Amino acid sequence: MRHIKTPIIIVIAGLFLVTTSQNPLAQDVNGLQDSLNQYCVTCHNETLKTANLLLDNVNLNDLGEDPEVWEKVITKLSLRAMPPVGMPRPDEAFYQAFLSHLKTGLNKVSEQNPNPGREIATHRLNRTEYTNAVRDLMGVDFDGAAMLPPDNSGGFDNLGDLLTVSQVLLEKYMAAARMVTRLAIGDPNTEVDSHQYIVDPRLLQDERMSEDLPFGSRGGLAVDHRFPVDGIYELQVSMQKLGVGSGMIAGLAKPNRLDFRVNGKRIELLTIGGDNVGIGLGREGSDTLPPDPAQSIYERTADQALKVRFPMSAGSHKVQVAFLRERYAWEGVVMPPPNYENYNTARIDVPYERIWHEPAIANITIDGPFEIQGVGDTASRDKIFVCTPKNRRDEAPCARQILKNQTRLAFRRPVDNGDVDPLMGLYREGRNDDGFEAGIRKALEGLLMSSEFLFRIELDPDGVQPGDNYELSDIALASRLSFMLWSSIPDDELLTVAEQGRLKDANILEAQIKRMLKDDRSLSLVNNFSEQWLLLRNLPQAHKSGEVFTDFDEELRNAFYDEVKLFVGSIFDEDLSIMDLFKADYTFLNERLAKHYGIEGVYGNRFRKVNVGEYQRGLLARAGILSITSYPNRNSTVLRGKWVLENILAAPPPPPPVDIPPLEDAQGAEGEVLTLRERMEIHPANPACAVCHNQMDPIGFGLENYNAIGQWRDLDEGKPINARGRLPSGVEFEGPAELQAALMRTPDVIAGAFTQKLMTYALGRTLEHYDMPAVRKIVNEAAKEDYRFSTIVLGIANSLPFQNRRAGSE
């Protein structure tokens, strides 16, 4: 093991002088110190303590004394955010010379005294990683979100120091292990079980609901259901009900045919509605009350006949249930679809006006097996049973081979008899109770409960002293790489390369990364990293007022979500420059979302790549982002500016004061209603507010043309919108296109912020000041290839923090 041990040195000022011959804008250290005193120390001193950043006693001749302070200064100066606009500011020569001095000096300090940081030694798999690992280990897709509690990290949900273990979680792991192994292997003694899949009651089922449902359908749902064994199963459909507590099924006045399919093949076609047996609300709105008893019973129980029994082989199959899209001409006025304003209130029943609408599915239930016909031949069994014993004598050697293969992948390292023997003990217990496969099932339950599966363990090698740096082994590197790109365990190819000690070879590492990025499992990088980086996981809780935004519903919310994921995914998948996040001339739309944006020529539920106009381009124009940075009834200049500072520039503002006053609905002269911008411009008049709002608000003003659900508008309170704003540097712009163009004038800042976010996710820990030289190196190398996504991924994988670790004292 090669150790990285270097003495701490004192860096002399002359080493970092930026001479005029190197840069015509450069100044000597004394000149930089004078400018620092003139423009910075006046606020950042022991007396005022502005932002708790003290610069009156720092030493420009020895940057190693206060590297954390200087990294904060670099962040502010890179944005030209300090001194604030309106205060005396130095010329551009000072910014360039000072930044050059600081970056060069701190990079040199890092070279002389490298610190790769220290990830937590026992890093628990989060819920997503556990789910993916089970899938890749045993070929079982199961709903981890339904079985395991969420990981409340408050940031990225894979930060190791926040992934704790509780007794409740251990019990959940035990239940998950039992279920997964039975699904993977099959159990001839499987008892009848019931699984219910609920259709979100806020969705209007008047169109084809997904690409997994047949053309010419409406409503319903498609689910991937795991059938535990070959056998007979029953599929039952329940319909949505009308009125508070009435229990009446919606839309029974006309017949509607319901299509039952498995893997796209129809297994049954049933009809509901149109069979009126008496007077009742389901027949005519003018019927007398109370309805006939027979009709009343029918309107409450008509869906009980919507069931079908069918044979099905073990494994995962797609179950599809939807109505045939058969339109009827309604007489009179059709009531508009309801809008549900309060997202937190789950809709259990349907408003009265849905009586005029078509029926809708509430849920489907799959019961079984009723007749077990065998454990089946599944991909999971193929993955697990790498051998089959021919007789009792062959069973123990075969069991050991199976368990050794599974343990190697589960532990992410080579294994020996010492690892497998405890599992063989569990195998023998199960074998004695119920045969060979029962023994394997019991042993695999134990494997899934093992600490080496549930935790990513990185122990310091023997002989390393606390504070020493050391290179990770190829095995540890493989695990870091797979959890970064796949949120899962290494596959056999990656693990084999690591076992051979070849993964650190630069060419082989690059080839493996490119292979892994092309693999479907890299979708986890989009789903997990980008969702959390962009705060997209807040979208389901983004409340919108039904009175203000009458067209907003769950289908539109889901479309917002899909659009952002597809857009970001295209940048990653096509290995484009991350600058394309802000300048790409396309997005992904279906018919509903295209109408929302006012774009014509897009039809159907399928999302497709669509070229868009200038004001609809880029990440900041996506409705999903604009919705999470808005309030229920209006957009938010502050939230949008803060989002850009935090997530795009990696320069979050300090927390607001605890006693911050609410934004009032102020009026101008003679009772004039003020626009949001006019009201926001009152904020900086308060010195306590100005420190942050002078940075956030001018950015948010550039997005003022978008309302709270991302639609373009030209007026606010009847007045033309003023979308002029400026960056913290003082660079001015007007509107979203110019805002994104202004951001891209400093691509190194954008790339640096992106790299910080992705490196945090990759390492599973927050970044510290000593990580910033590595970030700068990655960005500098990526600049040579226009900041392509893969160059940043490769840079992180080759970085000091990713391939090395500092020994601890525990």
Side-chain angles (χ1 to χ4, degrees), residues 4 6 11 71 104-116 469 769-774 776 800:
I4 305 172
T6 55
V11 182
E71 290 293 353
T104 304
L106 290 171
N107 291 349
K108 192 66 175 180
V109 169
S110 177
E111 291 175 7
Q112 298 296 329
N113 183 29
N115 184 354
N469 297 338
H769 66 87
Y770 46 76
D771 296 306
M772 300 314 296
R776 286 191 286 272
L800 175 77

Side-chain angles (χ1 to χ4, degrees), residues 200 341 452 580 714:
D200 190 326
E341 178 174 348
E452 288 209 56
D580 286 316
D714 294 308

